[in-house]
Amino acid sequence: MVCTLDERKIFKSVPDERPPYTIVIPPPNVTGVLHMGHMLNNTIQDVLIRRARMLGKNACWVPGTDHASIATEAKVVQMLRDRGIKKSDLTRDEFLKYAWEWKEKYGGIILEQLKKLGCSCDWDRTRFTMEDDLSEAVIDVFIDLCNKGYIYRGLRMVNWDPAGLTAVSDEEVIHKDVNSKLYYVRYKIDGTADEWITIATVPPETILGDTAVCVHPEDERYAHLKGKFCIIPIVNRRVPIIFDDYIDKEFGTGALKVTPAHDINDYNLGLKHKLEVIDTLTPDGKMSEAAGHYIGEDRFVVRKKIAKDLEASGHLVKTEDYKNKVGYSERTDAVIEPRLSLQWFVNMPEISKPALEAVVNGNIKLIPDKFISTYRYWMENVKDWCISRQLWWGQRIPAWYDESGNFVVAKTSQEALAKFAEKNIKTNASAIKQDDDVLDTWFSSWLWPISVFDGFKDPENKDIKYYYPTNDLVTAPEILFFWVARMIIAGLEYRNDIPFERVYLTGIVRDKLGRKMSKSLGNSPDPLELIEKYGADGVRVGMLLSSPAGNDLLFDESYCEQGRNFANKMWNAFRLIKTGSLTHHCVNPETGRIATAWMKSKLNEQLALINDSYDKMRISEVLMIKYKLFWDDFCAWYLEMIKPAYGSVAVDTETYNTTIDIFENLLQILHPFMPFLTEELWHELKNRNNRDCIIVSTWPKQSSPDNAILEGMTHAQNIISTLRTFRNEKGISPKTQLQLLTKDKHQTTFDDIILKLANVSSIDKAESFDKGFAFMAGTQEYAIPFDQHIDTAAERLRIEKEIAYNKGFLDTVMKKLGNANFVSKAKPEVIASEEKKKSDAEQKIKSLEQQLNMMS
RNA sequence: AGGAGCAUAGCUCAGCCUGGUUCAGAGCAUCUGCCUUACAAGCAGAGGGUCACAGGUUCGAAUCCUGUUGCUCCCA
């Protein structure tokens, strides 16, 4: 080929009169590299896109990347550190210059990798969440939501990442089981000489921030402490003992130390009981001035120190081993600390209602639908979304503060000044300062299905009107909430329409032991090495062979091996057809006629199943049907039927041409899964021009199969298999010809094929069977005269076993039919089928008994 | 603590919604025989499951209901 499909812009889509089929890619992290999850996800999208294109839709797959603020910023900081530059020594602008430099260098690697996978994206449409137009949309949406009252700024307990120095969302916290210690510490009751209350805590360093001790109001052990105070050790602070039924009497000692600054539940207790809030941690996880002790030391160092100090002062009662869950930052792996801070939030309950409705009422379909209840549960309990991040890489929050802390939300400083003026706040350009924080990356990507078509910049443009709502979204269930749900919210809010019709949720790719693939485990194969080793088509097939929607895929390289073997099989079939003996000789035209008629019917029969499974998004089932259709039906049966015996010279152009047609149809059907090989063979098969590519060919039209031929062939296959088994068991070479005897009912249509595939010399009618091997295919009787030594006893045993089986079966049928309840209650067609079973079984038994008699 | 889901051949999964298809199917793996001029990355065959367990509903249960056990995910 002179130039690639991509270069010929075959993946390109522009609005036209055809119906659109649109997918927006879940944008991968711009600095990321392809991992197994991407492979699975994008292969599925490509399969859907390619089939839609062949169905005559205007297929548009929009690629792109997101800026992944925390991950990217962390990488840039690392790069700077390697060059001996500290982020804190740089201005914001200087830092961003480095960040963009990094992005230009490494951004887009992943898109190149997707091309190697064969992804047929419209690469001209590649977008990036931080490019100007998309950023402007983000800022406009922020301002709009502020104006609508959905966004507010508030003091909240957030998940603080002390390594990343930013708040992260609940979804970015990974809870892990860890072995900790539970410290039992006693606090002296104020005004007593030797009276104590003992609390249990995992992080004893937070004692420095304690502002109360809380017990259950009905806990008799502590009833006498009502109105009393106790003394916090080390800091010697006098704090109240409060009573609240929030307390679990059974846990620890039933007495809870309350640290409102560092625990969300304690914070709520603090609000309720009006407790003082003492923030004892610095942003980077060290003890703050307010802690009063251990200032500037890391919290984990202090944890050990304070335990010793408490022991020395006689406050430590005991320690216990304790298993608990600790939150870690998904990005930096630092232990997350709950921390009070001023952040920006989206008020979710109200704005998310239509999005809940859209899924519950079926406007948007989740596949598999078991995710609907999960989605509903989350949306009904949705919490406000913390959207500010203490980073520089991202869209800077358009809020402006004056010197006394008043703020307005505005796109530019000029507009901000105007807004201050409106509020009658006197200030000036040099006195106002923009918020230092940026917006959560999801606050960009929730606009993705709209912003990639410039739906914010130009809401009435041709693209957005044509492509939106998109058709399918393919993504991982892990981000159902923090991405999918939010896109639905944004879509309904800003287009008054859903962003996509269906969401296909893939499984998570795990290793064969069921562990998630991760860098630290080192259990993930390198996707590009896999492609190198098995070919992109082989890997694509391997990925999809066993990945039912929503179920995890236990990946094993042997799947790719299977994929490669299949590609190899296709190649070999091509060789037979195009360059092998088929081009020179062929079977007699009659055999060819039957064979092609059967194969065409088989193809149509299976194509109906394939189309149906596609519609139900059962992708691995689609693949398996195609796999068997090609390998079993086409190669193992059809090609063997028409393949000429050595030395045969009969030429039959019609059969040959039909075979090419069928092979082309099979290539088309397989094309979405195996784009490279099918395209290559498509061009090898015939001399086609640059435009005549399989990727833009028309999906084969399904017509009704000839059922008589299908049934007849199944019967013939039955006979052939029995003869092959017979040879196998008797050790008769496939080269030895056999004679086949039939009775009246036998249809001769497939005789040629039986002769060929079972190496039978002749098929003759006989009144009755003499000595030899008698068998049944369906309800018909056949025999092979066989005069070599036959183990009569073994044959008798075989037939007797078969009789016993059929009698047993007949018994169960008779029992049903003899049951008055069954006959009166079962549906007529069920009864009819039982009657048929009965007569078939009776006839079989009769024939088998005859055979038995003949042997004696 | 709560919510959701899963349990079918050695492995990965269909079938279950809507009970009845010759006493459960596939792919891979296994075993047997084959280097047959498209293909040993192959060909032809074979074996392999009391459908997790216990009850119940029904003429009839892998399929519907209840309970038990084990596992996974989500959220505390």
Side-chain angles (χ1 to χ4, degrees):
Chain A
M1 274 181 270
V2 275
C3 58
T4 65
L5 295 170
D6 183 26
E7 283 158 342
R8 271 175 276 147
K9 303 289 181 202
I10 281 192
F11 311 151
K12 188 163 178 51
S13 169
V14 286
D16 59 22
E17 68 293 338
R18 290 174 297 168
Y21 176 83
T22 315
I23 296 180
V24 292
I25 202 170
N29 175 348
V30 67
T31 60
V33 290
L34 201 65
H35 63 238
M36 297 304 286
H38 294 130
M39 298 270 279
L40 173 63
N41 194 293
N42 288 290
T43 302
I44 292 170
Q45 291 174 67
D46 195 46
V47 165
L48 296 175
I49 272 287
R50 283 177 186 271
R51 174 160 181 272
R53 188 149 42 217
M54 292 174 80
L55 286 173
K57 307 264 180 67
N58 184 344
C60 181
W61 183 9
V62 183
T65 48
D66 80 25
H67 61 278
S69 55
I70 299 178
T72 306
E73 180 149 332
K75 279 182 188 167
V76 174
V77 168
Q78 180 63 45
M79 172 194 77
L80 291 172
R81 199 178 298 144
D82 293 346
R83 295 196 202 166
I85 305 168
K86 278 202 288 190
K87 181 188 166 192
S88 52
D89 292 342
L90 297 176
T91 66
R92 186 183 192 109
D93 286 343
E94 284 166 346
F95 177 83
L96 287 177
K97 230 181 100 192
Y98 283 114
W100 276 106
E101 189 186 298
W102 171 276
K103 186 260 168 188
E104 291 311 323
K105 192 163 170 197
Y106 298 102
I109 287 181
I110 195 163
L111 298 180
E112 291 309 310
Q113 292 175 321
L114 288 176
K115 289 180 187 171
K116 292 206 171 93
L117 225 203
C119 294
S120 58
C121 301
D122 181 352
W123 298 105
D124 291 346
R125 291 182 178 273
T126 304
R127 305 306 295 255
F128 174 50
T129 51
M130 233 170 83
E131 64 180 69
D132 289 346
D133 286 345
L134 274 65
S135 289
E136 194 178 356
V138 168
I139 298 304
D140 288 344
V141 163
F142 180 91
I143 294 169
D144 180 62
L145 290 180
C146 281
N147 293 340
K148 287 175 178 161
Y150 283 124
I151 288 185
Y152 64 95
R153 188 166 185 250
L155 188 66
R156 278 298 177 93
M157 188 69 68
V158 295
N159 302 303
W160 185 260
D161 177 344
L165 295 179
T166 180
V168 297
S169 67
D170 289 344
E171 292 81 6
E172 290 161 323
V173 178
I174 301 164
H175 295 274
K176 296 185 201 167
D177 277 314
V178 294
N179 295 313
S180 305
K181 289 215 181 321
L182 196 55
Y183 297 85
Y184 287 78
V185 181
R186 59 179 192 170
Y187 296 2
K188 188 182 260 178
I189 306 297
D190 186 38
T192 69
D194 193 24
E195 217 182 301
W196 306 82
I197 182 165
T198 303
I199 56 89
T201 181
V202 174
E205 72 278 8
T206 60
I207 282 175
L208 304 174
D210 282 1
T211 53
V213 167
C214 186
V215 297
H216 197 279
E218 283 156 25
D219 195 332
E220 285 162 19
R221 292 172 293 179
Y222 303 115
H224 62 288
L225 295 176
K226 200 146 207 158
K228 299 259 172 91
F229 289 75
C230 61
I231 308 295
I232 307 294
I234 306 213
V235 290
N236 289 321
R237 185 183 306 121
R238 181 175 176 272
V239 303
I241 293 167
I242 59 173
F243 292 75
D244 198 294
D245 55 14
Y246 158 76
I247 298 299
D248 176 4
K249 287 191 281 187
E250 306 304 318
F251 184 82
T253 61
L256 173 78
K257 66 192 268 311
V258 184
T259 326
H262 299 293
D263 184 282
I264 180 65
N265 298 307
D266 292 13
Y267 177 68
N268 290 331
L269 270 178
L271 287 179
K272 196 165 157 190
H273 295 270
K274 298 195 169 57
L275 298 175
E276 191 187 349
V277 176
I278 303 174
D279 187 349
T280 57
L281 279 183
T282 61
D284 58 350
K286 299 194 169 82
M287 305 315 286
S288 69
E289 295 281 337
H293 294 74
Y294 314 102
I295 296 166
E297 292 184 66
D298 186 81
R299 63 201 190 284
F300 294 111
V301 175
V302 174
R303 185 167 302 177
K304 287 189 180 133
K305 275 194 180 175
I306 201 168
K308 272 190 190 152
D309 293 346
L310 286 168
E311 192 172 11
S313 62
H315 287 92
L316 187 65
V317 179
K318 61 172 176 176
T319 61
E320 270 177 9
D321 287 330
Y322 181 66
K323 265 204 163 98
N324 66 329
K325 287 207 167 177
V326 172
Y328 289 81
S329 166
E330 186 185 58
R331 304 298 179 189
T332 65
D333 206 38
V335 173
I336 294 294
E337 297 293 338
R339 185 164 189 264
L340 275 178
S341 64
L342 263 180
Q343 302 284 346
W344 291 89
F345 292 86
V346 178
N347 182 338
M348 293 298 273
E350 186 67 27
I351 197 173
S352 63
K353 265 186 195 145
L356 167 62
E357 188 55 24
V359 169
V360 169
N361 69 19
N363 282 352
I364 295 176
K365 297 207 165 37
L366 302 188
I367 301 164
D369 58 12
K370 67 177 178 186
F371 285 107
I372 295 173
S373 54
T374 323
Y375 180 89
R376 180 209 292 262
Y377 182 81
W378 191 80
M379 291 295 267
E380 282 173 351
N381 296 283
V382 67
K383 287 181 225 143
D384 286 356
W385 175 16
C386 174
I387 51 172
S388 40
R389 296 289 182 275
Q390 288 63 48
L391 301 166
W392 283 346
W393 179 244
Q395 289 94 9
R396 192 170 179 181
I397 294 175
W400 305 80
Y401 304 84
D402 73 358
E403 282 161 319
S404 35
N406 299 306
F407 71 88
V408 294
V409 169
K411 205 163 175 177
T412 62
S413 57
Q414 281 85 355
E415 282 178 31
L417 283 171
K419 285 207 172 168
F420 275 119
E422 269 174 42
K423 289 174 138 185
N424 288 321
I425 298 170
K426 285 216 169 68
T427 185
N428 60 65
S430 58
I432 64 167
K433 194 173 170 296
Q434 187 175 357
D435 198 303
D436 272 327
D437 293 350
V438 298
L439 290 160
D440 180 13
T441 310
W442 299 109
F443 198 84
S444 305
S445 46
W446 76 324
L447 309 177
W448 189 246
I450 304 173
S451 58
V452 295
F453 299 116
D454 290 323
F456 289 97
K457 188 183 172 191
D458 180 6
E460 294 298 315
N461 82 71
K462 249 168 63 187
D463 278 4
I464 187 87
K465 287 170 88 174
Y466 182 71
Y467 294 114
Y468 192 96
T470 68
N471 298 79
D472 290 328
L473 178 80
V474 180
T475 192
E478 308 165 286
I479 53 175
L480 178 59
F481 307 130
F482 55 130
W483 190 46
V484 179
R486 287 170 187 165
M487 279 191 288
I488 299 174
I489 295 171
L492 291 166
E493 179 72 21
Y494 287 102
R495 296 299 302 180
N496 197 25
D497 201 353
I498 53 175
F500 26 70
E501 287 158 2
R502 298 192 296 183
V503 181
Y504 180 93
L505 296 148
T506 67
I508 297 164
V509 184
R510 298 172 179 276
D511 68 9
K512 62 176 168 184
L513 299 174
R515 300 173 304 181
K516 258 191 185 176
M517 291 199 166
S518 72
K519 266 188 196 155
S520 50
L521 274 176
N523 58 349
S524 175
D526 178 346
L528 295 176
E529 277 174 25
L530 284 179
I531 290 177
E532 192 67 31
K533 199 165 161 194
Y534 300 101
D537 289 340
V539 176
R540 289 166 65 110
V541 168
M543 294 301 303
L544 296 186
L545 267 174
S546 186
S547 55
N551 271 15
D552 289 357
L553 164 63
L554 302 192
F555 180 80
D556 189 83
E557 261 194 57
S558 66
Y559 284 121
C560 294
E561 206 180 315
Q562 198 182 342
R564 179 202 56 186
N565 292 354
F566 184 54
N568 195 242
K569 186 75 184 175
M570 287 169 66
W571 178 252
N572 281 314
F574 165 77
R575 280 184 44 207
L576 172 66
I577 291 167
K578 190 63 186 175
T579 62
S581 48
L582 267 196
T583 50
H584 307 301
H585 349 269
C586 207
V587 286
N588 78 61
E590 185 53 17
T591 309
R593 199 186 57 77
I594 303 275
T596 50
W598 170 74
M599 190 63 224
K600 278 196 216 161
S601 277
K602 195 71 198 173
L603 196 142
N604 273 307
E605 178 197 56
Q606 297 301 305
L607 187 55
L609 298 178
I610 288 166
N611 287 335
D612 183 56
S613 288
Y614 263 121
D615 292 344
K616 292 177 180 149
M617 289 286 248
R618 305 178 62 141
I619 303 297
S620 55
E621 197 167 290
V622 164
L623 175 57
M624 191 44 70
I625 300 171
K626 294 177 178 183
Y627 182 92
K628 287 191 281 189
L629 175 65
F630 191 87
W631 199 310
D632 297 344
D633 296 320
F634 184 69
C635 294
W637 287 104
Y638 175 74
L639 288 181
E640 292 300 326
M641 286 182 221
I642 61 159
K643 193 166 85 176
Y646 184 61
S648 153
V649 285
V651 179
D652 171 15
T653 357
E654 197 185 326
T655 301
Y656 182 70
N657 290 337
T658 312
T659 301
I660 301 256
D661 291 346
I662 291 170
F663 190 68
E664 283 187 347
N665 279 345
L666 289 169
L667 288 180
Q668 289 177 301
I669 290 172
L670 284 160
H671 175 259
F673 289 83
M674 311 178 80
F676 292 103
L677 179 59
T678 52
E679 194 68 75
E680 188 181 343
L681 295 182
W682 181 258
H683 287 274
E684 292 280 340
L685 212 50
K686 284 182 191 163
N687 195 11
R688 300 178 198 265
N689 68 35
N690 243 353
R691 287 268 131 205
D692 185 6
C693 294
I694 197 167
I695 183 176
V696 286
S697 68
T698 304
W699 186 255
K701 195 174 170 311
Q702 195 262 329
S703 51
S704 9
D706 179 341
N707 287 317
I709 282 201
L710 290 175
E711 279 163 29
M713 180 60 190
T714 303
H715 185 72
Q717 285 172 315
N718 200 341
I719 295 169
I720 293 163
S721 289
T722 309
L723 292 186
R724 285 170 174 171
T725 310
F726 173 71
R727 286 179 193 275
N728 243 307
E729 282 173 356
K730 296 288 181 281
I732 303 167
S733 159
K735 288 172 184 158
T736 311
Q737 289 208 312
L738 297 170
Q739 189 198 357
L740 179 63
L741 296 180
T742 71
K743 288 198 174 167
D744 279 346
K745 279 200 287 182
H746 175 74
Q747 274 195 358
T748 57
T749 323
F750 293 90
D751 280 6
D752 273 352
I753 284 158
I754 296 170
L755 290 176
K756 184 153 197 292
L757 297 192
N759 195 18
V760 168
S761 55
S762 65
I763 300 175
D764 304 304
K765 278 210 165 69
E767 283 303 312
S768 66
F769 299 148
D770 235 359
K771 258 193 184 156
F773 171 75
F775 65 94
M776 302 196 67
T779 58
Q780 296 185 47
E781 297 170 72
Y782 295 90
I784 302 163
F786 189 59
D787 42 19
Q788 286 172 40
H789 172 72
I790 226 171
D791 185 346
T792 323
E795 273 308 295
R796 288 192 73 95
L797 206 68
R798 179 183 68 83
I799 296 170
E800 275 162 4
K801 256 170 96 177
E802 214 172 320
I803 292 173
Y805 165 84
N806 278 288
K807 280 191 167 161
F809 175 72
L810 182 61
D811 269 358
T812 64
V813 176
M814 294 304 284
K815 237 162 88 185
K816 266 192 197 176
L817 288 171
N819 184 326
N821 272 319
F822 173 73
V823 179
S824 61
K825 289 182 186 172
K827 281 181 267 179
E829 56 268 32
V830 172
I831 294 173
S833 108
E834 292 300 316
E835 295 280 6
K836 172 111 178 16
K837 287 184 202 172
K838 179 183 161 227
S839 65
D840 285 356
E842 281 169 349
Q843 199 195 327
K844 260 193 164 170
I845 292 166
K846 205 176 121 203
S847 307
L848 287 164
E849 278 171 344
Q850 275 176 10
Q851 283 176 27
L852 208 55
N853 290 337
M854 217 109 70
M855 295 188 73
S856 47

